[in-house]
Amino acid sequence: MDLYTEGDPIADTRAPDGPIETRWDRRRFEAKLVNPANRRKLTVIVVGTGLAGGSAAATLAEQGYHVKSYCYQDSPRRAHSIAAQGGINAAKNYRNDGDSVHRLFYDTVKGGDFRSRESNVHRLAEVSVNIIDQCVAQGVPFAREYGGLLDTRSFGGAQVQRTFYARGQTGQQLLLGAYQALERQIGLGNVEMNARHEMLELVVVDGRARGIVVRDLVTGEITTEMADAVVLASGGYGNVFYLSTNAKGCNVTASWRAHRKGAYFANPCYTQIHPTCIPVSGDHQSKLTLMSESLRNDGRVWVPKAKGDSRPAKDIPEDERDYYLERIYPSFGNLVPRDIASRAAKNVCDSGRGVGPSGLGVYLDFADAINRLGRKAIEAKYGNLFEMYERITGEDPYEVPMRIYPAVHYTMGGLWVDYDLQSTIPGLFVIGEANFSDHGANRLGASALMQGLADGYFVLPNTLANYLAGAGSFGKVDASHPEVVATRTAVEERIQKLLSINGDRTVDSFHRELGQIMWEHCGMERSDAGLRKAIDEIRELREQFWQRVRVPGDGEGLNQSLEKAGRVADFFELAELMCIDALHREESCGGHFRAEHQTPDGEAQRDDDRFAYVAAWEYAGDQPVLHKEDLQFEYVHPTQRSYK
Ligand SMILES: Cc1cc2nc3c(=O)[nH]c(=O)nc-3n(C[C@H](O)[C@H](O)[C@H](O)COP(=O)(O)OP(=O)(O)OC[C@H]3O[C@@H](n4cnc5c(N)ncnc54)[C@H](O)[C@@H]3O)c2cc1C
C-alpha cells in the first residue's frame, strides 16, 4: 500500500488579491459584521489561554460575544507562552535603522525559505506595530532606553533591531497583559473560564464545528460544551519528540482530534530546532532548557579548531578557536536564522569538534561583550538567563562560556487555515502556534509572539465576525443531538479502553521511545531510508502501545497518567504523518533538511518547481490524502537564501 494518496488541490479562497498593502484593509471592509445587540446571543469557545487564546478571548468578549475559555493548567496565566524569553518583533523603526513594514515582510518570507503565503505575512508585518501600542497601553513593562523610548535588540535573520523585550521574560509580561484583559472580562461575566479542563474531541454537526467534549481534570467529569464557533489556540506539538524546550504539558490533542474530524493538517514536518539550548546531559531528563536567541546579540559561538581538543575553553588561545558562524556567514555572523545556526552546530560536532562531555555542544562566549560593555550591562540585559544557566549546569557563564546545542523548539506546521484563519471545517478557527499560517519552513526568532497576538487581538476578531454574521441561518444545536451524543460516547469509550489495557509499560516509556525515533530520523536531518524506517518503527510501537500500556488509577478524578496516555496516543498518529510529509517533500527548506538535497557547500537545496506549495493533509486512517496549495510570490522572489 502506498503511504499516501493525492487529492484535489486546495485554494485559499479568502485571500484577497490586488496591491499587497491594501489586502488586509479590503478584507476587513468586505467581511460581514455582527451588530452589537446580536453579539450577545452568540457563544464562542476558545481552547487555550496562551498569548493567542488569551488575547482572542479577551477581545471577543470585549466586543460583546459570550466566550467560554478552556485550558488544562490551573490558571490561564500558566499557559506555555509564559516561558517565552527573548522578545517580540515589530516594524516600528524606532532605531531609524532602515526597518519598515515591507522589510519585516521581506525578512519573514525569506526567513521562512519561501514556503509561506505573502498575503498573510504582509498582514502580520502591518499588524505588528499595533501590537506594541496595545501592550504598552496595558502596561506591559517593555525595556526602555535612557530617553524613555522602548528599547529593541537584534534577533536572527534580520539586520535591523526590531525586537522589543522585557528582560528575558517577554512572554510572561505579555501574557500578564492578555491575562489581565481576560480577567476583566471574566469579572464582567462575559468570559466563562474553565481552567483544568481538557478538550478531548471536537463536535461537528452537519459539517460545522459546534462544540467540544471536555474532561474536568480534577473530578474526571466529561461534558459537552456547545457554541456557535470554536477557536483552537492550543499551541504547538514539539513534544512529539519527548525532549524539547516546550512546557511538559504541550500536546497535539486538540488539533489532532479536529484533524480526525476533517480539519486538514498543513506542513507537519516543518519543525524548528533551536540552536541555543542547554545540551542533553543524560537519560534522566524529561525536558530541555532554552537559552534565548537574544544571547546571540552579544555571545560569540565557537568551537576549537582542532578535533578532540579537550582543554578548558580559557586555555584555548584565540587563534586556535573557530568562530564558525562569523567565518561562514560574515554578513549575519552569530545572528543567522535558527535553521542555519542549528545545522552549522551539528556539522562542527559531527566533525569531532564539539565540546563538553558528550561532544554535542558548542560554546556561546560572552567574554568579549563583558570586556567591552562591563559585567553590569550584561547582567541588566540577560541576568535571569545567566542565573538559570548557572542553576542548571553549575557553571558561571560570566566566567566560562555557556555550552549550547540545538533542540526541538517550535512547530511551523499546524492545522491548515485560510486567510480568515478558518480551517477546512466551517466554524473551526485556529490561531497562534496551533495553525500553520505565517512562518513557512522556518520561523524567525521573536515572531511567534507577534503572530499569536496578531491573530488574537487583531485578525480573528475581524474574520470571525464574517462567519458569525451567518450564524442565524445555521441555527442552534443542543447536547442531545445524536451526533453530539455519539461524539461524547466515543470519548468515554476511548478513556475506558486506555484504562483497561493494564499492560506492563508506562506511558512515559512509550513517549520517550517515540521521541528517540523522531529525533533520529525526523529531526535535524532526514533521509528517505531513515524516514521509511521511522514509519515502520512508529507503527510497530503504536501497536505495542495499545496492547501494553499501563494506566494506573481510574477516570473518576485527577489522573495524570490517563491525561498523558491520551496525548501520547495522538502523538503516535501525528508522528507518522510528520514522517510521511517529510518523506514526500524531496527538497530541503528551512527546518526540513533532507540529506539527499543539499548544495555543494551543505546548504538547504529547495526545489521550487516541484515543491512551492503548502502540503495540506486530510485524515484518512493509515493512508492520508495530500492536497496541495500552490504558493505565489509576486513581491519577494524566491532565491537561494544567503546569509553570507
Ligand atoms: C522556552 C521558549 C521560549 C520562547 N521564546 C520566544 C520568544 O522570545 N519570542 C517568540 O516570539 N516566541 C518564543 N517562543 C515561542 C512562543 O512562546 C510560542 O510559540 C507561543 O507562546 C505559543 O503561544 P500560543 O498561544 O499559540 O500557545 P500556548 O502558549 O502554548 O498555549 C496553549 C494553550 O492551549 C491550552 N490547551 C492545549 N491543549 C488543550 C486541550 N486539549 N484542552 C484545553 N486546553 C488546551 C493550554 O492549556 C494553553 O492555555 C518560545 C518558546 C519556548 C518553548
Side-chain angles (χ1 to χ4, degrees):
M1 186 172 86
D2 290 337
L3 287 169
Y4 68 94
T5 59
E6 194 168 331
D8 294 336
I10 184 171
D12 177 4
T13 53
R14 299 286 182 196
D17 49 17
I20 199 154
E21 308 78 16
T22 63
R23 289 180 189 172
W24 177 225
D25 271 352
R26 266 194 31 231
R27 179 71 197 119
R28 272 190 298 174
F29 182 70
E30 284 166 8
K32 291 184 213 128
L33 301 175
V34 180
N35 93 49
N38 287 342
R39 292 179 206 162
R40 280 195 290 278
K41 300 175 203 155
L42 295 167
T43 299
V44 181
I45 284 176
V46 181
V47 179
T49 58
L51 285 175
S55 58
T59 310
L60 293 171
E62 184 82 42
Q63 288 181 336
Y65 297 104
H66 178 62
V67 177
K68 292 180 178 177
S69 167
Y70 296 84
C71 69
Y72 55 72
Q73 288 92 351
D74 56 354
S75 158
R77 57 155 291 195
R78 284 182 187 265
H80 159 70
S81 290
I82 204 162
Q85 301 172 347
I88 176 167
N89 288 331
K92 283 285 202 186
N93 195 26
Y94 284 168
R95 294 258 172 188
N96 199 16
D97 58 357
D99 203 7
S100 62
V101 165
H102 195 80
R103 191 176 295 280
L104 175 49
F105 159 67
Y106 172 89
D107 287 346
T108 309
V109 173
K110 176 183 169 193
D113 218 353
F114 304 95
R115 291 292 174 263
S116 48
R117 290 182 189 143
E118 284 192 334
S119 299
N120 283 59
V121 178
H122 200 278
R123 174 175 67 188
L124 180 65
E126 287 171 52
V127 168
S128 70
V129 295
N130 305 113
I131 296 172
I132 301 302
D133 297 344
Q134 166 92 358
C135 297
V136 168
Q138 286 172 343
V140 171
F142 285 119
R144 285 179 188 268
E145 291 185 323
Y146 179 71
L149 265 190
L150 299 188
D151 196 11
T152 51
R153 55 190 175 196
S154 301
F155 258 58
Q159 287 175 312
V160 295
Q161 282 187 273
R162 63 161 75 98
T163 305
F164 294 78
Y165 66 99
R167 286 185 88 201
Q169 309 168 338
T170 315
Q172 178 172 357
Q173 298 306 330
L174 292 172
L175 190 60
L176 285 172
Y179 168 73
Q180 286 171 54
L182 180 65
E183 279 293 311
R184 179 167 174 274
Q185 293 302 323
I186 294 171
L188 291 170
N190 300 331
V191 175
E192 184 192 304
M193 185 64 231
N194 300 280
R196 307 208 83 174
H197 279 70
E198 181 164 22
M199 167 189 163
L200 294 180
E201 197 50 273
L202 179 74
V203 175
V204 179
V205 178
D206 297 332
R208 290 180 190 281
R210 301 310 304 260
I212 58 176
V213 178
V214 291
R215 178 167 181 269
D216 180 326
L217 298 180
V218 180
T219 66
E221 189 189 2
I222 293 179
T223 52
T224 315
E225 308 292 332
M226 307 307 294
D228 296 286
V230 176
V231 178
L232 295 188
S234 45
Y237 52 84
N239 280 350
V240 66
F241 290 86
Y242 188 71
L243 287 182
S244 87
T245 62
N246 289 191
K248 276 298 284 174
C250 291
N251 68 89
V252 77
T253 288
S255 297
W256 193 256
R257 295 281 120 195
H259 173 56
R260 289 181 61 116
K261 288 273 165 132
Y264 292 2
F265 211 112
N267 300 332
C269 78
Y270 291 164
T271 310
Q272 177 159 89
I273 316 278
H274 198 298
T276 57
C277 304
I278 299 182
V280 175
S281 61
D283 292 344
H284 59 283
Q285 277 174 292
S286 58
K287 121 166 239 1
L288 298 175
T289 306
L290 174 76
M291 286 287 104
S292 168
E293 178 162 305
S294 60
L295 294 168
R296 286 197 273 144
N297 273 267
D298 289 305
R300 297 180 69 195
V301 177
W302 64 275
V303 288
K305 279 187 179 161
K307 276 186 191 176
D309 186 340
S310 57
R311 287 175 291 174
K314 66 173 174 27
D315 296 341
I316 302 180
E318 271 304 308
D319 61 352
E320 292 179 41
R321 299 175 175 194
D322 181 10
Y323 293 91
Y324 58 90
L325 289 178
E326 296 170 28
R327 173 174 58 78
I328 308 173
Y329 306 102
S331 304
F332 283 69
N334 293 295
L335 282 168
V336 287
R338 292 175 179 177
D339 53 334
I340 309 257
S342 291
R343 259 197 319 279
K346 180 180 186 307
N347 290 343
V348 293
C349 293
D350 288 353
S351 73
R353 296 191 292 138
V355 300
S358 64
L360 294 177
V362 300
Y363 289 127
L364 180 63
D365 195 339
F366 292 85
D368 275 1
I370 293 172
N371 284 339
R372 195 175 68 247
L373 306 168
R375 179 176 165 138
K376 272 217 156 77
I378 296 298
E379 237 173 60
K381 276 187 176 171
Y382 314 114
N384 68 315
L385 299 172
F386 275 49
E387 198 183 311
M388 190 160 82
Y389 182 87
E390 186 173 2
R391 276 202 207 158
I392 293 174
T393 63
E395 291 174 3
D396 177 0
Y398 293 103
E399 300 296 330
V400 294
M402 289 183 178
R403 279 180 295 111
I404 51 163
Y405 194 68
V408 173
H409 179 63
Y410 180 90
T411 45
M412 279 75 68
L415 291 181
W416 186 91
V417 287
D418 62 16
Y419 190 71
D420 280 1
L421 304 180
Q422 185 168 216
S423 72
T424 46
I425 302 177
L428 178 71
F429 290 75
V430 191
I431 60 176
E433 193 174 338
N435 75 23
F436 88 106
S437 67
D438 293 356
H439 308 294
N442 172 59
R443 172 179 70 85
L444 290 183
S447 287
L449 303 186
M450 172 172 70
Q451 184 224 333
L453 291 180
D455 288 0
Y457 282 133
F458 298 104
V459 181
L460 181 82
N462 285 287
T463 58
L464 183 62
N466 184 66
Y467 176 78
L468 289 173
S473 61
F474 44 82
K476 296 274 176 195
V477 173
D478 72 35
S480 63
H481 188 288
E483 197 63 43
V484 185
V485 175
T487 306
R488 181 190 156 135
T489 308
V491 169
E492 287 163 347
E493 286 170 358
R494 189 163 186 261
I495 288 178
Q496 281 319 313
K497 167 96 179 110
L498 285 168
L499 287 165
S500 67
I501 297 168
N502 207 15
D504 59 354
R505 279 189 66 175
T506 62
V507 178
D508 273 353
S509 79
F510 279 106
H511 192 179
R512 192 185 288 271
E513 196 175 332
L514 174 66
Q516 280 160 354
I517 298 171
M518 290 300 284
W519 179 243
E520 171 106 17
H521 300 299
C522 199
M524 261 196 283
E525 189 173 300
R526 296 121 185 232
S527 69
D528 186 286
L531 288 162
R532 287 182 194 280
K533 185 161 184 262
I535 293 167
D536 288 344
E537 288 178 3
I538 293 165
R539 286 184 173 168
E540 162 69 21
L541 195 64
R542 171 155 63 108
E543 230 176 279
Q544 291 283 311
F545 174 86
W546 284 103
Q547 286 163 18
R548 291 182 51 191
V549 74
R550 180 174 170 76
V551 183
D554 57 35
E556 308 305 309
L558 184 68
N559 185 341
Q560 292 190 315
S561 295
L562 178 61
E563 291 167 29
K564 282 196 255 178
R567 294 170 191 169
V568 172
D570 291 333
F571 274 144
F572 271 116
E573 296 181 15
L574 165 76
E576 201 175 309
L577 185 66
M578 288 171 76
C579 292
I580 292 174
D581 188 39
L583 184 63
H584 109 280
R585 192 166 278 281
E586 292 173 347
E587 64 163 352
S588 295
C589 55
H592 168 64
F593 191 80
R594 281 284 298 265
E596 306 91 338
H597 302 282
Q598 45 186 311
T599 61
D601 52 353
E603 301 289 349
Q605 177 93 63
R606 287 197 325 268
D607 183 346
D608 293 334
D609 291 340
R610 292 176 61 214
F611 290 101
Y613 61 77
V614 174
W617 295 93
E618 179 184 358
Y619 182 78
D622 278 348
Q623 202 183 29
V625 184
L626 171 65
H627 301 270
K628 296 177 181 171
E629 179 199 330
D630 277 336
L631 291 166
Q632 312 293 340
F633 295 95
E634 294 171 61
Y635 293 85
V636 188
H637 295 291
T639 49
Q640 168 72 40
R641 214 161 46 122
S642 169
Y643 293 92
K644 292 186 170 164

